Every structure is written in C-alpha cells, then in structure tokens.
C-alpha cells in the first residue's frame, strides 16, 4: 500500500508500547511532514541512546557514564538498597524526593508462565552487593502477580542475611498497577509505611 520505506518505518514504530497499526501509521506519516532538521535531531538522539546508554555495573540503572549518577553520589545513604523492576521505577522513586538510598534494578519480574526465572533477572549481582554496611533492603516490585512472586522470592533469599532488615512498600499502591504510574503522594505514603518482612 505504502512505499517500502514507509512500511518499514511503520513497523519500527510498532515496537513501541501501546502502538498499534493505526498509531504507527500516523507517526510515520507525521515524520514525512516534519522539518528535515527535526528528523535529523530524532535520528541523532536515537543513535546517541543506542551507542551511549548502558547499564550501571553496580545497580543496573541506565547511564551514559561508567557508573550511574546515583551510585556515584557520595551523599546517598549507602546502608539501604531499594529493589525495583525497571529503570523507570528509579525515576518514579526519585521524584518522591524522600528516599536517599541506593537502588538495584532487576529488569523484569519472575513469571514462570512467560518463561522468566530468577536467573533471567539481575538478582545475583544484588547478593554480591550485600555486605556489613547494608542495613535495609526495600523491595519495591510492582503490586502485580509477577511483582509479588518476585518479592516473595527475594524475601526468602535475603533471609540468609540476619543483620539486614527486609521491608516492602506499604499499601497505597493499587494492585495490578505499575510503580511508574503512581503519583508522588502515593509513593511517599507507600515508602513511609513500608513493613518489615
């Protein structure tokens, strides 16, 4: 129907979350109408992200440096680690401005039905971070079936460290929701009311 190059562009847009055929088609046609310099800026931004963004070797957060800005920040509370599922959850927690500790990004959640097992996630490197300085581990997985399964697995695995307090975000986050969609007040209440596991 469209020339091959436009069809390819439509297919590329369909890899984005919640973008179906119609939306991808609108995006592709909008690109044809955009000024050439805007298209070149988009291409440059995509290349920069593709070439420069990587996972922090300590926490797994996204960075364009050797370590992420949080792991490099000497003012952070290095006795607390908050475990989240995705880098966007770090951003959501940072917007709250009441948590000053470190993070650990899992890159997903345990889901046997989808074939995602603990060894498929960024969990082993978490255990290598646990030392005598760590006093608390906050489990901030999404309140979904997969998030709860992951939380239970982590709680059980972390029980072998007797000097660590294991907490989980309190109620206030709706069941089935994602952390990055929660408003700042809800996240603040959940963080303040976390409970020991």
């Amino acid at each position: 129907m469209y020339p091959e190059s436009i069809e390819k562009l439509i297919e590329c847009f369909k890899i984005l979350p919640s973008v179906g055929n119609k939306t991808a088609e609108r995006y592709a046609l909008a690109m044809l109408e955009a000024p050439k310099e805007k298209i070149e800026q988009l291409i440059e931004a995509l290349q920069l992200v593709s070439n420069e963004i990587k996972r922090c070797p300590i926490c797994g957060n996204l960075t364009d440096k050797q370590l992420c800005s949080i792991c490099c920040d000497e003012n952070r509370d290095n006795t607390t680690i908050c475990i989240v599922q995705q880098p966007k959850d770090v951003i959501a927690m940072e917007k709250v401005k009441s948590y000053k500790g470190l993070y650990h990004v899992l890159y997903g959640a345990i889901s046997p039905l989808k074939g995602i097992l603990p060894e498929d996630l960024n969990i082993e490197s978490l255990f290598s971070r646990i030392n005598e300085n760590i006093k608390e581990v906050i489990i901030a997985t999404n309140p979904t079936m997969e998030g709860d399964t992951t939380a239970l697995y982590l709680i059980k695995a972390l029980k072998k460290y007797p000097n660590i307090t294991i907490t989980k975000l309190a109620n206030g986050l709706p069941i089935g929701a994602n952390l990055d969609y929660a408003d700042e007040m809800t996240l603040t209440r959940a963080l303040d009311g976390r409970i020991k596991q």
Side-chain angles (χ1 to χ4, degrees), residues 27 65 81 155:
Y27 288 169
K65 308 275 190 292
I81 297 175
I155 290 165

Side-chain angles (χ1 to χ4, degrees), residues 27-40:
Y27 288 169
L29 294 176
M31 292 292 103
L32 294 175
E33 297 174 14
K36 186 169 181 155
E37 61 271 7
K38 293 292 182 189
I39 301 293
E40 288 170 357

Side-chain angles (χ1 to χ4, degrees), residues 175-189:
I175 300 299
N178 290 327
L179 213 58
D180 63 314
Y181 290 121
D183 62 89
E184 292 174 23
M185 183 58 73
T186 301
L187 272 175
T188 299
R189 287 181 179 165

Side-chain angles (χ1 to χ4, degrees), residues 9-184:
L9 186 57
I10 291 170
E11 288 303 311
C12 287
F13 280 123
K14 283 168 42 178
I15 68 168
L16 298 172
S18 304
V19 175
N21 286 328
K22 284 285 188 190
T23 303
E25 185 178 345
R26 279 198 315 272
Y27 288 169
L29 294 176
M31 292 292 103
L32 294 175
E33 297 174 14
K36 186 169 181 155
E37 61 271 7
K38 293 292 182 189
I39 301 293
E40 288 170 357
Q41 287 174 359
L42 176 62
I43 292 167
E44 182 181 344
L46 288 170
Q47 286 174 334
L48 279 172
V49 166
S50 176
N51 295 332
E52 294 187 13
I53 299 298
K54 55 188 175 280
R55 293 182 184 185
C56 174
I58 295 174
C59 71
N61 195 14
L62 298 177
T63 183
D64 58 356
K65 308 275 190 292
Q66 188 173 351
L67 299 176
C68 76
S69 59
I70 293 171
C71 287
C72 289
D73 188 348
E74 294 178 1
N75 295 318
R76 302 294 294 206
D77 173 9
N78 65 0
T79 67
T80 307
I81 297 175
C82 180
I83 303 171
V84 296
Q85 287 181 212
Q86 299 292 344
K88 62 185 177 180
D89 300 329
V90 172
I91 302 299
M93 293 293 287
E94 285 296 289
K95 285 180 183 174
V96 173
K97 294 185 171 64
S98 64
Y99 177 70
K100 302 298 181 196
L102 304 174
Y103 292 95
H104 192 83
V105 183
L106 299 175
Y107 282 90
I110 297 169
S111 178
L113 293 175
K114 295 177 184 173
I116 303 171
L117 302 174
E119 53 267 24
D120 298 318
L121 303 177
N122 185 28
I123 293 177
E124 277 306 310
S125 63
L126 169 67
F127 301 135
S128 68
R129 296 179 69 189
I130 306 290
N131 57 40
E132 64 277 353
N133 292 333
I134 304 298
K135 304 289 183 246
E136 180 183 9
V137 174
I138 303 168
I139 299 174
T141 53
N142 291 330
T144 61
M145 187 178 298
E146 292 88 358
D148 288 343
T149 301
T150 306
L152 289 171
Y153 175 86
L154 291 168
I155 290 165
K156 185 177 178 183
L158 290 166
K159 292 280 187 189
K160 66 182 178 187
Y161 302 100
N163 297 330
I164 294 175
T165 301
I166 305 165
T167 59
K168 190 175 174 196
L169 290 186
N171 292 335
L173 293 172
I175 300 299
N178 290 327
L179 213 58
D180 63 314
Y181 290 121
D183 62 89
E184 292 174 23

